[in-house]
Amino acid sequence: MKIQVVAFVVGVFVSTLVFGQKEETVILKTATGNLEGTLTMPDAKLPVPVALIIAGSGPTDRNGNNAIMTNNSLKMLAGALAVKGIASLRYDKRGIDKSQAAGLSESELRFEMYIKDAVGWAHLLRENPNFSQVVIIGHSEGSLIGMVASLDDEVDKFVSIAGAGESGDKIIREQLKAQPQAILEQTNPILDSLVVGKTVAKVNPMLYSLFRPSVQPYLISWFKYDPKIEIAKLKKPVLIVQGTSDLQVSVDDADRLQAAKPDAKLVVIEGMNHVLKDVGDDRTKNIQSYNQPDLPLNQKLVEAISSFIVAK
């Protein structure tokens, strides 16, 4: 299957050399501005496998960080994969950090744009003779983006890390369950309307941050995608990874994905949290880890992903 992609041009510039791993800045030019990523190359005989790492929701950058948390989870993942002889490209999504120029107004942004960007990066990697295969790794919301992008013929394998097992509207409904009944009576009709593609003109000011008119088109585009349906479409190897100490995504989510694609490999890692660190059952340690950039990455995660990528 080929996914329609916006036209792009690419430029590569060598920037750093760390512990035998060469890092390069890569630019993907799209119709609405440049996206920037970091290509990490291992010290290994070419060609090598390459992984496209897609970050989660919100203002999360290519390294897994944002303005209020620095954990370097995705940067560490890239380095760990390089040690295993696997290249990777991680990037700032449109509107984030060095890809700020490609950001659109909130009312113009659609979930499909993130998917097309991921496909554009995958095509760029496929054209490079240094790479033997292209694997997409999606973390959190990046799992759904990567899942749909992996339908493209240029992608060989897909890895979901902490990916939700339900569509966005169901996630929001679950998050709102703890709210008073009066709130639910107002939010449920709005969600029902957005699910069928209809915006809502009148929104209670109390709910404006979640359902403001400018964000409703994006929510409509996001709600279209049920990860259980999307993962079932993949006719290629799939790895699903989930930590038991994840405060945002549960093992139940991973079970739903695996049930939708029974031939996918499921790896549940005891004590790993949402930012891919070892925290056990200690909630305080879990929360603190979101701002501990030197806390090591979970090694079982690295082993699971690297062995999956190199397997024939």
Side-chain angles (χ1 to χ4, degrees), residues 11-74:
V12 180
F13 308 90
V14 176
S15 58
T16 58
L17 185 64
V18 182
F19 301 119
Q21 302 169 14
K22 185 172 68 175
E23 289 203 332
E24 302 174 339
T25 296
V26 184
I27 304 297
L28 182 69
K29 292 187 176 181
T30 77
T32 56
N34 291 352
L35 305 181
E36 184 178 303
T38 299
L39 177 66
T40 303
M41 293 295 296
D43 183 10
K45 182 180 178 180
L46 301 175
V48 294
V50 63
L52 175 66
I53 302 173
I54 306 175
S57 61
T60 306
D61 68 15
R62 74 187 82 178
N63 295 325
N65 306 326
N66 60 41
I68 61 172
M69 69 175 192
T70 303
N71 55 75
N72 283 338
S73 56
L74 302 185

Side-chain angles (χ1 to χ4, degrees), residues 50-289:
V50 63
L52 175 66
I53 302 173
I54 306 175
S57 61
T60 306
D61 68 15
R62 74 187 82 178
N63 295 325
N65 306 326
N66 60 41
I68 61 172
M69 69 175 192
T70 303
N71 55 75
N72 283 338
S73 56
L74 302 185
K75 180 179 181 180
M76 287 181 170
L77 179 58
L81 290 176
V83 171
K84 298 291 186 179
I86 300 167
S88 65
L89 192 151
R90 62 192 192 277
Y91 64 98
D92 296 328
K93 292 187 298 183
R94 57 176 56 244
I96 305 301
D97 202 13
K98 296 298 180 64
S99 299
Q100 187 74 39
L104 301 171
S105 67
E106 187 173 72
S107 62
E108 295 176 301
L109 185 63
R110 300 292 183 272
F111 192 75
E112 288 83 2
M113 295 176 181
Y114 291 136
I115 296 168
K116 288 181 179 179
D117 291 341
V119 173
W121 284 113
H123 283 205
L124 180 158
L125 295 172
R126 174 61 74 190
E127 292 170 359
N128 191 324
N130 289 329
F131 303 131
S132 56
Q133 63 170 307
V134 177
V135 181
I136 288 184
I137 301 175
H139 176 251
S140 194
E141 185 188 64
S143 168
L144 182 56
I145 295 169
M147 200 179 289
V148 183
S150 292
L151 288 168
D152 192 87
D153 292 337
E154 303 299 343
V155 181
D156 298 296
K157 298 178 181 179
F158 170 65
V159 179
S160 170
I161 308 175
E166 299 285 4
S167 57
D169 62 294
K170 291 181 180 177
I171 293 172
I172 293 175
R173 289 180 202 271
E174 184 64 28
Q175 292 172 343
L176 291 173
K177 274 186 177 180
Q179 297 297 319
Q181 184 62 31
I183 297 294
L184 297 180
E185 290 174 355
Q186 294 184 63
T187 57
N188 284 333
I190 295 174
L191 286 167
D192 291 342
S193 180
L194 297 177
V195 166
V196 297
K198 296 180 180 179
T199 57
V200 178
K202 189 174 181 180
V203 177
N204 187 311
M206 291 177 57
L207 304 175
Y208 205 76
S209 62
L210 185 56
F211 298 117
R212 57 194 177 278
S214 59
V215 80
Q216 289 184 31
Y218 177 80
L219 292 177
I220 288 172
S221 70
W222 177 36
F223 292 170
K224 291 178 186 177
Y225 297 94
D226 183 332
K228 298 187 299 299
I229 294 174
E230 300 305 325
I231 200 168
K233 295 176 184 177
L234 293 175
K235 308 302 180 185
K236 55 194 67 175
V238 172
L239 172 65
I240 301 165
V241 185
Q242 180 61 47
T244 62
S245 297
D246 194 322
L247 300 176
Q248 293 156 260
V249 181
S250 71
V251 174
D252 286 344
D253 285 289
D255 288 339
R256 292 186 188 100
L257 294 177
Q258 206 272 334
K261 185 170 175 56
D263 63 341
K265 181 178 182 181
L266 172 61
V267 175
V268 176
I269 301 177
E270 291 292 331
M272 187 178 79
N273 71 352
H274 196 68
V275 294
L276 317 181
K277 308 295 180 73
D278 286 307
V279 296
D281 297 325
D282 189 330
R283 185 178 178 86
T284 299
K285 183 178 179 181
N286 197 333
I287 294 171
Q288 289 174 341
S289 72

